[in-house]
Amino acid sequence: MIPPTETLKAFEAVRKPFIAASPAEKPFVAHAPIEINSPRYFYTCAAGGVFACGLTHFLMTPVDMLKCRMQVTKGMYSGVFDGFKKVASAEGIRGLYLGGTPTLIGYSLQGMGKYGFYDYFKYLFAKLAGEENAAKYKTTLYLSASASAEFIADTMLCPMEALKVKMQTSTTPFASSFLGGVRKINAAEGINGFYKGLAPLWMRQIPYTMVKFATFEKTVEAIYKHLLSKPKEQYSKVQQLGVTAAAGYFAGIFCAIVSHPADTLVSKLNNVAKAEGESTGTVAMRILKDLGFAGVWAGLGPRIFMIGTLTALQWLIYDSFK
């Protein structure tokens, strides 16, 4: 059946002849893959760290809040589920996410420093050591790079960690808003109020990160070498991410155990007033003496669950992003 004359005329009116692009016009070119160890690569690693740490820590805010309260106030809850029940019934979902804003901001900044600088320091230290030594002392390289990255990352996290702990553990509401909390700490203690927990934070986070990265890297190597039958490159991206998640959770368990005493100290330190002329080190020793050996392990159960889940999700997001 031939189309009506009117239809053909309408088509001719709108039809345009094909004209090839002029030499001055740039043809479409797909973006090239990011070159490993280029500035763009390190920026991408840092951006991946923002999403990996910020989102996962915010997601786990309820568990973190209960863990902090159990560390600071002994016997406050009989367990995690008891804590969830009491907080949810008294304060609702908002109570469970108390301290969520400083958590999101602080751990996004920390993730940017942790993951961005980790890959940079791995590259830098391997270059300084030389190819042969870098391969021979691979674990030492992982440990050195992760410790260096975390040292920087914690200076970015510390102010928000101080505010988070105060908001989550104060017996009365610490502040009605995020900015209100910042102003309150600054008015009472100045800049020292945000950074007095930095040394204990380094004590917590540097061993934590060293174990996290080294254990993860070695676990991934062991899975492909001993549990799977083919090299990594022969598995699909989804299968590789499954290995990433499993290795991440395993590494997270060790992270939680190694760093827990220092984590308890950080929680307590941000809730204890310093006497005039008393140094942070003196306060820390007083807290440890009061807590005793058993006291520094309070809240370990929820923290193992939290850190294992966090670490698995972080590596999953980071590897997907990268």
Side-chain angles (χ1 to χ4, degrees), residues 24 57 257:
H57 275 274
I257 294 170

Side-chain angles (χ1 to χ4, degrees), residues 145-308:
S146 58
S148 302
E150 190 61 41
F151 183 87
I152 296 171
D154 288 346
T155 62
M156 303 163 76
L157 167 65
C158 195
M160 293 297 101
E161 181 75 359
L163 177 57
K164 174 191 79 74
V165 171
K166 283 185 178 293
M167 291 178 72
Q168 291 178 336
T169 58
S170 295
T171 52
T172 56
F174 179 71
S176 58
S177 67
F178 168 74
L179 290 177
V182 171
R183 285 193 289 265
K184 188 171 181 179
I185 293 176
N186 188 57
E189 304 176 72
I191 193 70
N192 182 62
F194 295 102
Y195 282 98
K196 69 180 182 181
L198 181 57
L201 191 61
W202 279 330
M203 290 168 57
R204 181 188 84 182
Q205 288 297 130
I206 290 177
Y208 166 94
T209 301
M210 291 170 74
V211 170
K212 173 180 179 175
F213 282 95
T215 305
F216 172 78
E217 302 266 20
K218 299 301 287 185
T219 302
V220 168
E221 289 177 13
I223 289 174
Y224 283 111
K225 184 176 181 180
H226 300 294
L227 298 181
L228 300 178
S229 56
K230 296 181 291 185
K232 177 182 177 179
E233 295 74 21
Q234 294 182 22
Y235 289 95
S236 68
K237 183 65 175 176
V238 173
Q239 290 170 321
Q240 290 180 28
L241 289 175
V243 173
T244 293
Y249 201 96
F250 184 73
I253 294 172
F254 285 93
C255 291
I257 294 170
V258 165
S259 62
H260 193 74
D263 182 66
T264 302
L265 181 59
V266 170
S267 295
K268 293 288 285 185
L269 195 61
N270 282 301
N271 279 275
V272 173
K274 287 168 61 176
E276 189 174 348
E278 191 176 27
S279 68
T280 300
T282 304
V283 177
M285 293 305 297
R286 173 160 56 87
I287 290 170
L288 291 173
K289 185 177 179 181
D290 292 341
L291 286 172
F293 181 79
V296 298
W297 296 102
L300 178 60
R303 190 157 184 267
I304 286 176
F305 170 74
M306 182 184 82
I307 297 300

Side-chain angles (χ1 to χ4, degrees), residues 61-62 65-66 69 87-88 90-99 168:
T61 296
M65 183 268 296
L66 293 174
R69 288 184 176 180
V87 174
E91 305 170 57
I93 190 71
R94 186 174 180 179
L96 289 171
Y97 275 87
L98 186 65
Q168 291 178 336

Side-chain angles (χ1 to χ4, degrees), residues 118 121-122 125-126 129 134 137-146:
Y118 174 64
F121 282 127
K122 267 205 309 185
F125 294 162
Y137 301 106
K138 191 181 292 185
T139 301
T140 303
L141 187 70
Y142 296 152
L143 293 171
S144 302
S146 58

